[in-house]
Amino acid sequence: MRDEERLELLDVVLDDLDSMAGDHIILIEGMKDKMSLERLIGEFECFMVQREGGPLRAAEYVSEHGSKAVILTDWDNKGEYLAHELSVQLSALCAEYDTEIRRRLADLCRKDIKDVESLHSMYDRLVRSCDGCPSRRRCIGASPSITFKECRYIPNQGCRAEVCS
C-alpha cells in the first residue's frame, strides 16, 4: 500500500476515533499514549490502564460512568493480553466497548510501529513522505471541505490551504 493510501485510511480511522471520543472512554496503557493521541485528535476522556489500576478497575470506571469504551492498547503481546482482559472485564459488567478502532490501527500501522505512543510520529512521517502539511489533522479538522490534495505543504512556503495560513 502506498503512503498516500495509508495516510488517507489512517485519517479515516482517526476521524472515527475522534467522533467516538465524545461519548466513549478511551482505554489506553499510559501517559505517552495519551500525549500521542492528543496530538492527533485533541482532548478526550481516557483511563490509563497500566497507571490507574489494571483491567478490572478500568471496566469498573467505564461501568460507574455509564459510558461506553474504546479499547486502544498496543498491538504487541502485552497490549494483546491487556485488550483481552479488558474485553473480559467489560463484558462481565455488561459495558459496551469497541475493539474495531484498535484492529484497524494495528492493520495500518503494524509494519512500522507496535504501540499507540508512536502513532503521532508515524503519522507525521507519512505526512512528510506525501509532501503534506505538518498541521494536516488541524487543517482538515478546521475545514472538512479541504481535501488531501488541497492540504499540501510546500517547503519554505507553508501550506496552500487557507486555514493553515
Side-chain angles (χ1 to χ4, degrees):
M1 183 181 306
R2 293 185 352 244
D3 282 350
E4 282 105 1
E5 292 172 282
R6 287 178 68 208
L7 184 57
E8 287 196 35
L9 290 171
L10 190 54
D11 270 328
V12 170
V13 177
L14 292 171
D15 287 343
D16 290 347
L17 177 61
D18 190 24
S19 68
M20 292 175 84
D23 65 348
H24 287 66
I25 297 169
I26 302 177
L27 304 177
I28 54 177
E29 291 185 37
M31 183 57 79
K32 290 180 183 176
D33 295 345
K34 181 177 182 183
M35 292 184 331
S36 177
L37 287 173
E38 281 180 340
R39 289 184 58 185
L40 294 168
I41 67 168
E43 292 186 19
F44 56 92
E45 183 177 4
C46 69
F47 186 94
M48 291 178 261
V49 179
Q50 300 283 54
R51 187 177 188 180
E52 298 181 58
L56 176 59
R57 183 65 198 115
E60 290 172 342
Y61 181 84
V62 170
S63 182
E64 288 166 4
H65 287 80
S67 192
K68 301 175 237 174
V70 174
I71 297 175
L72 193 51
T73 59
D74 299 342
W75 33 97
D76 57 8
N77 290 338
K78 183 177 170 187
E80 292 290 339
Y81 173 78
L82 273 175
H84 173 74
E85 288 300 310
L86 285 165
S87 61
V88 167
Q89 296 300 333
L90 288 163
S91 293
L93 295 174
C94 299
E96 288 184 49
Y97 62 93
D98 175 88
T99 57
E100 190 64 17
I101 294 284
R102 179 179 178 274
R103 185 200 57 77
R104 290 165 59 200
L105 283 173
D107 288 348
L108 285 169
C109 303
R110 187 173 278 128
K111 78 173 202 164
D112 294 315
I113 60 173
K114 63 176 180 55
D115 50 38
V116 175
E117 73 183 61
S118 302
L119 197 53
H120 77 278
S121 57
M122 186 192 121
Y123 184 89
D124 290 347
R125 183 192 61 74
L126 286 172
V127 168
R128 283 192 306 276
S129 78
C130 299
D131 294 326
C133 172
S135 304
R136 185 167 198 273
R137 294 269 327 143
R138 181 173 46 99
C139 177
I140 291 173
S143 179
S145 63
I146 294 175
T147 66
F148 177 73
K149 290 184 178 6
E150 291 169 324
C151 186
R152 289 286 194 195
Y153 178 75
I154 301 171
N156 301 321
Q157 294 180 28
C159 181
R160 294 188 319 212
E162 290 178 21
V163 73
C164 289
S165 303

